[in-house]
Amino acid sequence: VAFADSYFTVRGVSTWTGTQDQKEYALIAGTEYIDLRWRGELNGKLLFPDTQWLLFPRSGVVDDQGRPVVGIPEILKRATAEYALISLTQTLMSNPSIDETGTVLLESTEVVGPITETKKYQAGFIRSKPYPKADGYMLPLIRGAGSGGVYV
């Protein structure tokens, strides 16, 4: 929480609010999202594969100078904070709706004044929503994305 508080303060982000517990819950949601969304796509390997529950720390991850990254990279902390900020106001990865035929549907609801319009779309495989800033922080950690290094 201290990292996220400092990170958002220096950026002038006033929407990072709530109690200590609410911020912790948001950071847990951000961490879980990273673990679900990016599983199988990260550079390196789990540092403790037999006992480790989260995707970091990892071995085989290097910075932009080719030096091994030890511990939790700064860029991962930034991504986690950004996902946590989003989680304060919305669900990062929502469950899909399924109609009576078993077809997966995506719903879109739009409210304009007293009018509410809901549309349902059929979807095959549901991918996660794009979160450009947080996803951008994750890119250097992803296999085959850019240089493959972690910028710390």
Side-chain angles (χ1 to χ4, degrees), residues 3 7 11 69 72-79 150-152:
F3 174 87
Y7 172 83
R11 287 163 177 77
V69 173
I72 308 301
E74 173 80 12
I75 202 159
L76 179 67
K77 293 177 187 178
R78 291 178 181 196
V150 176
Y151 300 99
V152 292

Side-chain angles (χ1 to χ4, degrees), residues 26 42 48 145:
L42 298 175
F48 307 104

